[in-house]
Amino acid sequence: MRRAYIDSHLSLVDAYREATRWAEAIDCVIGPSTAAIERSPWLERSGIPLGVASNRHTRFTARPHGLVVAWCLNLEEILELEHRNQLSGVVAVQAPAGLRPWVAAHNVEHIGEDALETVPAVPPSIKALVKGITSMAVTNQGLTDKRERSEAIQALTYFHTRGHHLDPLQLTLEAIRNDWPGQAPIELAQIAHDVRAGRQLRHSNRIDEELLAEWANAA
């Protein structure tokens, strides 16, 4: 899939022009809400099909397809957009800093003057942790299954109690790299945030401790 992002320093008009140039042919524009699209009335005059990422009632009813302009979407919305639809490309307009893990995971092309700050290099141990959890069927259900959520909590708690730094951005990045579906990468980052904050999250010990130690000692 082709991917690009346009930094927020460009006006929406200029950003749309750059998106059109990069894409060559745009199939639809998907915004976060009806109001977000209505704030740029010239979009309706463009003749491009318009839709929204939310499930709320709207007069903009285009379904995401082909090459999509992600109009001011956040990370959660872009991950859901890519997960639930067969797309040939995505170009994110007014890309917020929150898109950094998505940009890094897919080596997304930058259009504009100021690229988003890079995510710090991911340690081998964190890569091993996420890859290990991925092998336990996370790619099918994300963390909606309580067993898979329990595995994530166990692994992150093990790492935290042994002094490993749990960076939510790095965890999100690795989960995206490992094709975790929809919002699952963000959910993993939230679990890490809660573990670091000292919250006692209920879980069972489903992963063998020797395997956890193997991940933690990866080099």
Side-chain angles (χ1 to χ4, degrees):
M1 184 193 301
R2 298 177 64 203
R3 294 180 175 91
Y5 75 94
I6 301 172
D7 63 57
S8 58
H9 294 85
L10 291 179
S11 69
L12 286 174
V13 173
D14 289 339
Y16 181 79
R17 186 179 298 115
E18 288 297 316
T20 302
R21 180 190 60 78
W22 176 85
E24 296 181 357
I26 293 172
D27 293 298
C28 62
V29 174
I30 302 297
S33 64
T34 300
I37 294 178
E38 288 179 337
R39 281 194 289 270
S40 299
W42 48 269
L43 275 176
E44 294 185 66
R45 298 193 293 271
S46 71
I48 299 293
L50 306 174
V52 298
S54 68
N55 293 322
R56 297 176 181 175
H57 178 73
T58 177
R59 61 192 179 90
F60 301 120
T61 58
R63 300 299 304 165
H65 64 282
L67 202 150
V68 174
V69 174
W71 192 257
C72 308
L73 298 187
N74 60 29
L75 178 62
E76 178 180 333
E77 291 162 336
I78 284 186
L79 293 180
E80 284 292 333
L81 180 72
E82 294 191 346
H83 174 56
R84 297 185 180 279
N85 303 280
Q86 294 294 322
L87 307 178
S88 61
V90 173
V91 53
V93 167
Q94 292 276 301
L99 293 189
R100 290 164 59 199
W102 175 75
V103 169
H106 297 302
N107 194 26
V108 177
E109 180 181 347
H110 169 238
I111 302 171
E113 297 181 0
D114 297 315
L116 293 175
E117 183 180 350
T118 59
V119 176
V122 182
S125 57
I126 296 297
K127 291 184 178 181
L129 180 153
V130 177
K131 185 176 180 180
I133 299 175
T134 301
S135 68
M136 299 175 180
V138 167
T139 51
N140 293 329
Q141 302 180 72
L143 297 178
T144 56
D145 186 292
K146 64 180 181 181
R147 294 166 297 181
E148 293 165 350
R149 182 176 178 83
S150 182
E151 290 163 354
I153 295 172
Q154 180 191 357
L156 292 172
T157 300
Y158 180 93
F159 269 53
H160 180 64
T161 57
R162 283 157 180 80
H164 288 263
H165 177 60
L166 302 178
D167 186 327
L169 284 177
Q170 293 177 335
L171 288 161
T172 303
L173 187 163
E174 281 303 308
I176 295 173
R177 277 181 178 160
N178 282 272
D179 296 322
W180 285 31
Q183 299 177 31
I186 297 173
E187 293 168 3
L188 180 68
Q190 183 59 51
I191 293 173
H193 177 81
D194 291 343
V195 168
R196 288 174 53 180
R199 290 190 59 189
Q200 298 299 310
L201 304 178
R202 294 181 58 184
H203 68 279
S204 56
N205 294 325
R206 298 177 53 83
I207 307 174
D208 187 89
E209 189 159 322
E210 290 185 4
L211 182 56
L212 290 170
E214 180 182 322
W215 299 345
N217 294 323

